[in-house]
């Protein structure tokens, strides 16, 4: 092939220029799927630059999926069409609710509309503010910032989080109860040690799959629990033998169910009976569009049974890698005595920037602005879904960044997931990606006999996230989704 | 008290100004130990600003130890004299070798000379380069940087680390074998899961205490192993029943012993016999002042038995929170299959900055510069220690950022630690902090009967780190240390 690369001296770093040239050539179709690209050696010699510069550019292209490496043969342009709907059994990494949407890597012509519930709109990332606060911290912070900080997170950040939790969520806690960490996965790993070995966690049988896998890999036995219209069934939780319940009471993922007060009390009673805990993952509570804000269970945790997990992934961006947990006092004491040996996983620079971001009111203003924008998208989706054929209902709306479309008639566990996949594949072929709820079955619930016994007949349902789409995309995507629902006839049992 | 604070409008953030005023008033002695400072409410009302601004300033002062809070009574100036030598049984956090030295918080008059082996000279932190690369990443990185990256760390960073390891340490590895994480503690926690439950780690009985505690809290049984002049005793390791050996063969902490090739082979043979592993913590290999560089065991790990732990804490700064491990291929495959569910704990922004920092040659140039500066300090310390009274030897010099001064006659386990503490306390009273080697006894070795049986007679010894001190401090500190050695008579047994 002919690859025309004109490097600009004094411009961006050379590897960035090479990366950009090749990426654009692939995007525009100048380089076609399967086409061989030059070896790092020959390109370096052709451009008369260091081979490591070319290697870095290729590494970036590899990691972003533009090219692939075939042993003994070299580098080839990857098949980008593989980026639309991947059927059931997709990559584990994809099950995170805090993956941000990248610009669609289309082949140029076709539109890709991805209703990912794990996306946020990165357009809202407070880029210039973040850069300004970082510069200011780098200028004023001096040496202290590059020394080691507190194991639980630096006190100013914890104090700021405590104040913010009180104001925005009605949670009274002391900075001593807060542990800051680089992401929920890390905090769950740490928590699994803090709670002691031999724990069993109950999770709703459709839930946040990544958390179930993190807990499992952290040595916690994870058992599926039935869910009804009010959230986790406490009866089923008891039957599971779990001593930890993982719930998202403000807006369950994926069903969007808000757990009413009565069920919350039931859960708290269950926890109070023995050495049991509730992990409350309050992952998207910033976004509520109608009705009163829903306080977290932690706000009424007088007995010290609730471990509250909070994140800035949705309200700021996934990649800032800052989450926190609020521990009941006695667990915070155990942490202080025995677990401070785990040094903080968040750099003091990031902590300082975040402290300023929250403390100086930027977060609140940004959340208010973003909430308005998401509300417009949410309302647009609801409006577009009015045209659904009869027999479908919308659940879990009015909060968060996704809702679900559910068939009103049950179809049984096997048939439900088959139908979900059929519709998702049809939509995928037309450039629209919707998410079968059965993708959110936690691993230990994928046992059909359990599902049949505990849950009985299941209703096919699809998760639609809207955060990263604009109104036009939402409308066009919904139209295609509706046509696919009609095209693939629902099987009644 | 009268607290004169003139806030500058349009200057640094208000809380920073308040923090600075009070800190300086304490440093200069204007505010004295035990003196009460105004409540947040009254200071806020006096200055006519938001109370939260004052609270943030006080939080920072609290976290840095300038003030303390007494329940129901308010805030008081803390006793800063408490910052010199703390006797045996000090805070766990203090046992980390990657704590950076803060500027001495003296009461103004007295000089504090801290021979901490856990310090680095933050003066060398490449502040402006780091800020420049951060700005450039923030400008060019766009949205991708705020989305989620690869669980093992972004490929460009892993590729850069792999190339750098090959060039600087002779380690051949593929980017797929590397896992990047926010600090060694996190990586050890992750590793403890990856290696499977029921593991027992053998560690030299004086070693990196923090690592022993992290492993213990991660569910790994930690057993003490004897150490001789060539490092970990493989005979004692066998007797311990361990199936993982944690070693620092290039420069053991705290003894500074370099493990010779014969002992390394013995260890590798031990590992090859069964399902056993060696964790090689290569924590300070950048700094070697004489003789040939010592390749890590990982460079000759043909059987896939060595897990290599590397960090940028010493070569850049502890607070950037980036470490990495190189896994044997089969463990990397297990990681890829089962552990990618743990999302990366390092933000993509930090990864990108570090990739540029290494890839564009800054790290190498900086390490070369810093090595020269540390070598001057190292040589100055050796020179100053020539005046030691007879009966003392210097061990573990020529590499790293610390050495030890050891009595040539053994004193038995109990007497050794008593003598060490006596000298350290004497020196502490004169503003010089040296570190008893018995502080580095791992918890499971603090059993005297084990020590007597396995190790027999112990020699009193002190760890002297020099990275954060200037030549004048090294000379003055060494003089005082020598006088204390003479003042406290060695007890012979």
């Amino acid at each position: 092939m002919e690859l025309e690369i004109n490097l600009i001296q004094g411009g961006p770093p050379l590897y960035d220029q090479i990366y950009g040239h090749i990426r654009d050539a692939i995007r525009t179709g100048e380089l076609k799927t399967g086409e061989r690209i030059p070896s790092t050696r020959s390109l370096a010699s052709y451009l008369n630059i260091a081979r490591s510069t070319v290697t870095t550019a290729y590494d970036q292209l590899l990691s972003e999926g533009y090219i692939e490496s075939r042993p003994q043969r070299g580098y080839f342009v990857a098949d980008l069409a593989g980026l639309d709907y991947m059927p059931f059994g997709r990559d584990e990494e994809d099950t995170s609710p805090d993956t941000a949407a990248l610009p669609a890597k289309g082949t140029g012509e076709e539109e890709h509309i991805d209703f990912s519930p794990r996306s946020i709109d990165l357009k809202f990332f407070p880029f210039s503010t973040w850069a300004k606060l970082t510069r200011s911290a780098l200028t004023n912070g001096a040496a202290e910032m590059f020394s080691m900080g507190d194991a639980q997170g630096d006190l100013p950040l914890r104090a700021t989080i405590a104040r913010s939790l009180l104001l925005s969520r009605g949670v009274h806690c002391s900075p001593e109860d807060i542990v800051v960490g680089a992401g929920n996965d890390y905090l769950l790993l740490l928590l699994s040690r803090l709670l002691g070995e031999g724990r069993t966690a109950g999770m709703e049988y459709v839930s946040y799959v990544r958390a179930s896998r993190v807990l499992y890999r952290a040595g916690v036995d994870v058992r599926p629990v039935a869910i009804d219209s009010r959230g986790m069934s406490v009866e089923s939780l008891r039957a599971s033998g779990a001593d930890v319940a993982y719930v998202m009471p403000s807006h369950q993922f994926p069903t969007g169910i808000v757990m009413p007060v009565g069920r919350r009390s039931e859960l708290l009673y269950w926890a109070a009976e023995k050495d049991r805990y509730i992990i409350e993952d309050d992952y998207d509570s910033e976004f509520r569009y109608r009705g009163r804000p829903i306080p977290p269970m932690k706000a009424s945790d007088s007995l010290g049974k609730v471990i509250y997990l909070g994140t800035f992934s949705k309200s700021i961006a996934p990649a800032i890698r800052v989450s926190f947990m609020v521990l009941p006092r006695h667990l915070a004491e155990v942490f202080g005595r025995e677990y401070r040996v785990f040094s903080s996983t968040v750099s003091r620079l990031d902590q300082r920037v975040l402290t300023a971001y929250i403390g100086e009111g930027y977060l609140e203003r940004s959340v208010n602005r973003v909430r308005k924008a998401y509300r417009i998208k949410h309302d647009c989706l609801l409006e577009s879904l009015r045209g659904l054929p009869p027999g479908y209902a919308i659940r879990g709306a009015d909060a968060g960044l996704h809702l679900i479309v559910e068939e009103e008639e049950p179809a049984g566990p096997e048939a439900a997931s088959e139908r979900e996949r059929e519709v998702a594949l049809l939509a995928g072929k037309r450039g629209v990606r919707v998410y079968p709820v059965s993708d959110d079955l936690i691993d230990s619930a994928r046992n059909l006999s359990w599902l049949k016994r505990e849950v009985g007949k299941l209703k096919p349902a699809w998760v639609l996230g809207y955060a990263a789409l604009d109104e036009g995309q939402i409308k066009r995507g919904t139209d295609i989704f509706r046509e696919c629902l009609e095209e693939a006839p629902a099987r009644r049992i």
Side-chain angles (χ1 to χ4, degrees), chain A residues 96-170:
Chain A
S96 152
D98 55 4
T99 303
L102 296 183
K105 289 172 186 165
T107 39
E109 305 289 305
E110 209 177 319
E111 185 175 18
H112 286 269
I113 299 174
D114 188 344
F115 282 102
S116 169
R118 294 169 271 282
S119 291
I120 64 165
D121 194 338
L122 286 175
K123 183 168 86 242
F124 296 128
F125 179 75
F127 211 81
S128 58
T129 306
W130 200 261
K132 185 184 77 178
L133 294 175
T134 303
R135 273 194 301 271
S136 149
L138 279 168
T139 311
N140 304 324
E144 274 143 359
M145 232 164 23
F146 296 94
S147 63
M148 290 288 287
D150 189 285
Q152 290 183 229
D154 288 337
L155 189 56
L157 176 57
R158 287 185 284 122
T160 304
I161 291 173
R163 276 193 294 278
S164 158
L165 271 181
L166 179 61
L167 295 172
S168 68
R169 304 293 286 140

Side-chain angles (χ1 to χ4, degrees), chain A residues 223-482:
Chain A
R223 305 254 173 93
V225 174
I227 181 170
D228 60 28
S229 62
R230 311 199 304 151
M232 180 178 273
S233 153
V234 178
E235 195 188 344
S236 172
L237 176 64
R238 280 185 197 283
S240 76
D243 50 17
V244 174
Y246 184 104
V247 289
M248 294 166 270
S250 299
H251 191 235
Q252 204 264 353
F253 186 87
T255 62
I257 290 170
V258 176
M259 193 184 285
V261 160
R263 180 61 56 86
R264 290 172 185 225
S265 303
E266 256 189 275
L267 254 185
L268 284 168
Y269 279 123
W270 166 85
E273 284 167 12
K274 292 191 186 170
D275 174 31
R276 291 170 172 162
Y277 289 97
I278 296 163
I279 300 176
E280 176 177 37
D281 183 355
D282 201 31
Y283 70 106
D284 72 357
S285 61
E286 297 88 348
F287 304 111
R288 178 131 205 102
Y289 314 112
R290 296 207 169 35
R292 290 174 48 223
I294 295 164
M297 291 180 72
K298 185 69 193 167
S300 43
D301 178 33
S302 52
L303 297 172
K305 287 296 181 177
V306 178
I307 296 151
Y308 178 95
L309 268 184
T311 174
F312 299 102
S313 285
K314 296 275 180 194
S315 55
I316 305 180
I320 68 158
R321 310 310 293 133
V322 188
S323 294
F324 62 90
M325 55 183 176
V326 184
L327 297 172
R329 180 54 53 92
H330 58 283
L331 280 183
E333 281 165 10
V334 176
F335 189 94
R337 264 195 322 273
E338 301 174 354
Y339 287 84
R340 291 178 69 82
V341 70
F342 290 91
S343 46
S344 175
T345 44
V346 183
S347 75
R348 300 191 85 178
L349 174 62
D350 288 350
Q351 292 190 47
R352 186 126 166 182
V353 172
L354 184 57
T355 305
Y357 191 74
I358 304 170
E360 294 171 25
Y362 291 109
L363 178 64
E364 198 188 339
R365 285 195 294 276
S366 161
V367 165
N368 288 339
R369 200 166 47 234
V370 174
R371 189 188 296 114
K372 267 183 214 160
Y374 283 156
R375 181 185 173 147
I376 291 171
K377 297 181 188 209
H378 166 269
D379 291 355
C380 168
L381 178 59
L382 278 188
E383 183 62 36
S384 310
L385 286 172
R386 285 200 179 187
L388 277 180
Y392 293 91
I394 295 163
R395 313 264 182 225
D398 296 341
L401 304 175
H402 75 277
L403 49 72
I404 69 172
V405 171
E406 189 178 71
E407 289 192 7
E408 285 173 335
E409 294 294 320
E414 241 164 321
S417 91
E418 221 172 275
R419 165 115 178 101
E420 289 168 1
R421 271 183 280 171
E422 192 181 4
V423 172
L425 280 167
L426 273 177
K429 281 185 191 147
R430 297 180 59 187
V432 173
R433 191 167 171 180
V434 294
Y435 292 79
V437 164
S438 53
D439 282 7
D440 301 313
L441 277 170
I442 63 173
D443 297 331
S444 50
R446 287 179 182 273
N447 174 331
L448 273 180
S449 68
W450 182 87
L451 269 183
K452 279 181 188 154
R453 191 179 64 242
E454 295 291 323
V455 190
K457 294 169 181 172
L458 279 184
K459 297 169 180 171
W462 297 266
V463 183
L464 273 67
Y466 43 84
L469 302 177
D470 64 31
E471 288 177 77
Q473 289 173 316
I474 290 173
K475 280 178 196 154
R476 290 192 296 280
T478 315
D479 284 346
I480 291 174
F481 173 57
R482 195 184 50 236

